[in-house]
């Protein structure tokens, strides 16, 4: 009898929390098993290695992220509306996959050098292309300021959004959509009162 998909998901969620908290290299199968309340050997009934667990955690997160991003990018929105929708989708992903996002932030660069995780580098290129392309489209349309360095603007928005994983907790005071709205207000309109 194979393990239920629900149990597998629970174990992956537990593994994601341990990886996010302790880092991939410091995490052992025993630590994951302890957190899941089972013997380390029993975990191998579900997964062949901690690498397999991490792979499934990151691939699931990125598949969902790209499903949302592709919907936004294919919607034919204007540049500002596209940025707003991408930021909102990013916060929804932080809400749904907080631990996976934290792992991605800390580990993606090192992991991408391994053949099994080469898709992380591919995703990063695609991610950068989507954001830079939208910003460039906005400058060309006169929606975004032409005097800003596009790459620096992209890095600012990217880092401002994704670093939120360090403090955001699902089920907190603000919904992902409310946080996105506040962030977008600051990013797109600034914080100073206009005179």
């Amino acid at each position: 009898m194979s393990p239920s998909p629900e149990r597998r998901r629970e174990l992956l969620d537990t593994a994601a929390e341990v990886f996010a908290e302790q880092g991939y290299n410091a995490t052992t199968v025993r630590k994951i098993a302890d957190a899941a309340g089972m013997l380390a050997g029993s975990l191998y009934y579900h997964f062949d290695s901690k690498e397999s667990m991490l792979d499934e955690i990151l691939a699931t997160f990125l598949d969902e992220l790209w499903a949302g991003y592709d919907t936004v990018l294919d919607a034919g929105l204007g540049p500002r509306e596209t940025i707003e929708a991408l930021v909102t989708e990013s916060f929804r992903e932080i809400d749904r996959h907080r631990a996976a996002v934290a792992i991605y932030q800390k580990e993606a660069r090192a992991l991408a050098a391994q053949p099994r995780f080469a898709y992380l580098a591919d995703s990063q290129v695609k991610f950068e292309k989507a954001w830079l392309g939208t910003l460039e489209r906005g400058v060309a349309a006169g929606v975004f300021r032409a005097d800003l360095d596009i790459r620096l603007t992209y890095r600012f928005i990217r880092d401002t959004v994704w670093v939120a994983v360090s403090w955001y907790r699902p089920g907190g005071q603000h919904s992902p959509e409310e946080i996105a709205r506040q962030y977008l207000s600051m990013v797109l309109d600034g914080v100073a009162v206009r005179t």
Side-chain angles (χ1 to χ4, degrees):
M1 191 170 112
S2 64
S4 74
E6 294 80 20
R7 180 62 177 150
R8 188 176 174 82
R9 181 83 253 145
E10 283 172 20
L11 293 172
L12 285 171
D13 289 347
T14 299
E17 291 296 334
V18 178
F19 287 137
E21 187 180 310
Q22 299 186 11
Y24 176 66
N25 289 331
T27 298
T28 61
V29 170
R30 178 176 297 287
K31 286 179 181 177
I32 295 167
D34 288 349
M38 63 196 306
L39 297 170
S42 300
L43 203 52
Y44 287 109
Y45 176 63
H46 302 275
F47 304 96
D48 65 2
S49 65
K50 75 172 189 173
E51 186 180 58
S52 292
M53 287 182 263
L54 184 66
D55 189 9
E56 196 166 328
I57 290 162
L58 291 175
T60 299
F61 154 61
L62 287 173
D63 286 350
E64 201 171 297
L65 175 75
W66 280 108
Y69 272 20
D70 287 342
T71 298
V72 168
L73 295 168
D74 294 342
L77 302 170
R80 182 181 174 118
E81 293 75 22
T82 300
I83 291 290
E84 290 171 346
L86 289 173
V87 167
T88 302
E89 190 58 39
S90 299
F91 277 107
R92 287 181 181 138
E93 287 306 311
I94 292 171
D95 184 64
R96 284 191 285 257
H97 296 288
R98 189 198 59 77
V101 173
I103 296 163
Y104 184 86
Q105 294 296 333
K106 287 186 225 167
E107 312 278 358
R109 183 168 289 162
L111 288 169
Q114 299 176 31
R116 182 172 191 161
F117 293 100
Y119 65 87
L120 296 175
D122 296 340
S123 185
Q124 184 55 45
V125 168
K126 187 177 170 187
F127 186 86
E128 191 170 297
K129 188 176 169 189
W131 286 83
L132 285 173
T134 303
L135 289 168
E136 287 165 356
R137 202 163 48 95
V139 169
V143 176
F144 300 138
R145 289 169 40 197
D147 63 315
L148 295 176
D149 180 294
I150 292 289
R151 188 160 290 279
L152 199 56
T153 304
Y154 154 69
R155 287 180 178 144
F156 172 76
I157 295 172
R158 176 198 66 195
D159 294 351
T160 299
V161 169
W162 292 106
V163 79
V165 74
S166 66
W167 57 262
Y168 179 80
R169 294 295 169 262
Q173 182 179 353
H174 301 289
S175 70
E177 293 79 11
E178 171 61 18
I179 294 171
R181 193 183 66 70
Q182 290 281 332
Y183 265 59
L184 285 161
S185 173
M186 290 181 275
V187 168
L188 297 174
D189 303 321
V191 294
V193 174
R194 294 183 182 178
T195 54

